[in-house]
Amino acid sequence: MPVETGQMFDNKNKMLKRLKKQTYETNFAQFQKAYAKQFEEMTAYAEQAADKQAAAMEIGTWFTDGAFKKYGSGKKKIPSYVQADLNLFMIYYVFPALLKTGHPDAEQIADGICKAWAERFRGNNIGYTDYDTLYQSFHDKILGIF
């Protein structure tokens, strides 16, 4: 896979800051548009593979290696506060964008990424859901406070 995945995390802090329904919708649309080519490459790679499960794990390893390379900077472990943000970013942006491609192999790729993520980042077992489910879970205001 020729595309560097670490660049997907470039705006991580900005995209996770003050995350509300409207900002999430805007941020997600921008993210999806900016990285559509990368998700297309992932699904195309899995589609052409004879062993789709092995291809999904390859994609997962490639993806997590890119994230680790960007944030690990020669260390064996990423600081926990950075890791928490990476996990949230994956759940809020990466997985929903992958699933929104509608590709039949998207869920298998997401499973491969989750498995590789847990292997690379010990103790960080993440899951995924689709954009619509996440979007519906947002509330603009909680008791009128926020």
Side-chain angles (χ1 to χ4, degrees):
M1 301 249 155
V3 179
E4 178 60 46
T5 57
Q7 68 187 11
M8 285 187 183
F9 298 92
D10 283 348
N11 294 322
K12 169 183 64 69
N13 293 337
K14 179 184 171 198
M15 294 173 75
L16 290 174
K17 188 176 185 179
R18 295 190 178 127
L19 203 55
K20 293 185 179 180
K21 195 169 196 167
Q22 186 176 4
T23 56
Y24 177 63
E25 182 178 23
T26 303
N27 290 346
F28 182 81
Q30 291 170 351
F31 179 82
Q32 186 181 27
K33 184 178 178 184
Y35 299 106
K37 182 176 170 42
Q38 285 87 335
F39 291 113
E40 186 179 306
E41 287 180 15
M42 287 183 220
T43 55
Y45 183 79
E47 185 174 5
Q48 60 82 29
D51 184 350
K52 293 193 185 292
Q53 190 170 7
M57 276 307 297
E58 282 181 52
I59 294 167
T61 301
W62 164 75
F63 195 93
T64 56
D65 285 351
F68 189 81
K69 183 178 173 184
K70 182 169 184 83
Y71 292 98
S73 54
K75 302 173 188 170
K76 289 186 177 184
K77 193 173 181 183
I78 293 175
S80 60
Y81 67 93
V82 174
Q83 186 64 58
D85 284 351
L86 290 175
N87 293 347
L88 285 174
F89 192 81
M90 292 293 293
I91 293 165
Y92 282 121
Y93 294 101
V94 175
F95 290 127
L98 174 60
L99 295 175
K100 204 151 177 85
T101 65
H103 195 277
D105 297 323
E107 281 193 38
Q108 192 164 15
I109 294 168
D111 289 336
I113 293 172
C114 283
K115 190 179 272 186
W117 195 266
E119 289 174 9
R120 173 58 106 164
F121 304 111
R122 301 275 181 216
N124 289 278
N125 296 322
I126 57 175
Y128 60 89
T129 191
D130 62 89
Y131 171 79
D132 294 324
T133 302
L134 273 173
Y135 183 75
Q136 294 305 318
S137 71
F138 277 95
H139 300 284
D140 285 331
K141 295 183 179 185
I142 299 172
L143 302 173
I145 299 171
F146 297 105

